[in-house]
Amino acid sequence: KANMNAGQYGSRGDGRWDETCGPLSRLDHDLRARIVECSLTDADKACMDRCTAELQALVVKLGSPWRLKLFGSAANGFCTRNSDVDATCVEERPAEGEASAHASAADVLRERFAPLVRGHPKFSIVEEVLGASIPILKLRFEGAIDVDLSCRNGDALQNTRLLRGYADIGGRVRDLGVLVKLWAKAANVWGASRRFLSSYAFTLLAIYFMQVHPDVQLPCLPTASFLDEAGDDAQEKVAAARSMWACELSLAEL
């Protein structure tokens, strides 16, 4: 098993490559540099925060039961600079007799949310994909961030909480998941709309690999712990997994 001391993997302390180290160390150095290069900057985070706040303000205009929930890369711990924002509007306590309680997700997006977006100076509607199994409004915020907005997309929220749990177990899980996603994009083999695997699927594959490899043995988290009603159970399961697992392999070895 490899020692994770930074100097062991070719770091000179100034971020430059130490030519006296071997090819595995160089690969580890390059992988880490790529992760840093693709990580969100402070400016990226500030723009994403503004986008989320403005979306939340629009959703509130739908009525008091409505809330905005983030899912996907923006919330699951595997975000990179090129990640878009996936969000869904949900009714926490639908009012009895309220029209939207009986309206379809597509109708809510088309008839109630789209007009609000059109009147907002920082958002533009790129495409309305309302005939899909999960209707989506594709938006752009400040000409910089792509947003996929859905309605009542509860399954995606559970999936996001599950991935967030794995990302919180250890940095090695998050790093490998991000690198697999970056490879898929560089190889042009990602995107469910293009009949490839989604970013979510590639992240699951990375996690599964870490679970079944005999030298890694990442613990399995029970999916039921990440339901809305699970409460603190999810955090307890993640804390238990974190306390019993450690990966001594470098990214290059993984």
Side-chain angles (χ1 to χ4, degrees):
K1 302 295 176 70
N3 187 323
M4 287 307 298
N5 180 276
Q8 178 74 19
Y9 290 95
S11 173
R12 295 162 34 124
D14 56 6
R16 291 182 295 169
W17 169 247
D18 187 342
E19 295 295 342
T20 64
C21 296
L24 192 63
S25 299
R26 175 163 194 144
L27 176 59
D28 193 85
H29 176 274
D30 290 346
L31 292 175
R32 292 180 181 280
R34 181 61 175 153
I35 289 174
V36 171
E37 178 186 352
C38 295
S39 296
L40 293 175
T41 64
D42 290 341
D44 294 330
K45 294 175 183 177
C47 187
M48 190 172 290
D49 288 343
R50 290 196 305 274
C51 176
T52 302
E54 295 291 348
L55 276 175
Q56 180 64 68
L58 289 177
V59 170
V60 167
K61 293 181 180 181
L62 296 177
S64 58
W66 289 93
R67 295 292 183 270
L68 181 78
K69 302 286 187 180
L70 297 184
F71 65 92
S73 298
N76 65 20
F78 296 89
C79 190
T80 63
R81 292 200 67 183
N82 294 323
S83 298
D84 57 9
V85 172
D86 295 301
T88 189
C89 43
V90 297
E91 293 165 288
E92 294 189 339
R93 295 175 302 278
E96 186 66 28
E98 187 173 323
S100 63
H102 306 287
S104 68
D107 287 341
V108 172
L109 294 176
R110 179 192 300 110
E111 299 172 8
R112 301 196 59 194
F113 200 83
L116 295 175
V117 174
R118 294 190 183 97
H120 196 289
K122 295 186 178 182
F123 283 103
S124 60
I125 297 179
V126 177
E127 186 179 2
E128 299 183 25
V129 189
L130 301 178
S133 57
I134 300 178
I136 289 175
L137 283 180
K138 289 185 171 292
L139 314 175
R140 185 160 293 131
F141 177 74
E142 294 184 351
I145 296 181
D146 291 321
V147 180
D148 284 355
L149 181 73
S150 57
C151 179
R152 305 189 186 112
N153 192 1
D155 288 345
L157 297 177
Q158 180 185 0
N159 295 340
T160 294
R161 288 190 289 268
L162 177 64
L163 290 192
R164 180 82 228 187
Y166 279 111
D168 288 344
I169 290 178
R172 195 73 77 254
V173 181
R174 188 258 177 196
D175 289 346
L176 184 63
V178 167
L179 287 171
V180 169
K181 286 171 55 178
L182 292 175
W183 165 81
K185 291 181 180 181
N188 199 29
V189 294
W190 73 285
S193 62
R194 301 167 54 234
R195 299 179 182 272
F196 292 112
L197 295 179
S198 64
S199 292
Y200 173 69
F202 276 112
T203 306
L204 285 182
L205 287 174
I207 290 171
Y208 178 70
F209 160 77
M210 297 187 80
Q211 289 171 335
V212 301
H213 196 288
D215 291 335
V216 184
Q217 297 184 3
L218 177 70
C220 295
L221 296 175
T223 56
S225 296
F226 296 88
L227 296 171
D228 275 334
E229 60 271 20
D232 295 333
D233 186 49
Q235 292 305 315
E236 293 175 1
K237 292 294 193 298
V238 171
R242 186 189 300 118
S243 67
M244 64 182 290
W245 181 79
C247 181
E248 298 180 355
L249 298 179
S250 70
L251 282 174
E253 289 170 316
L254 287 172

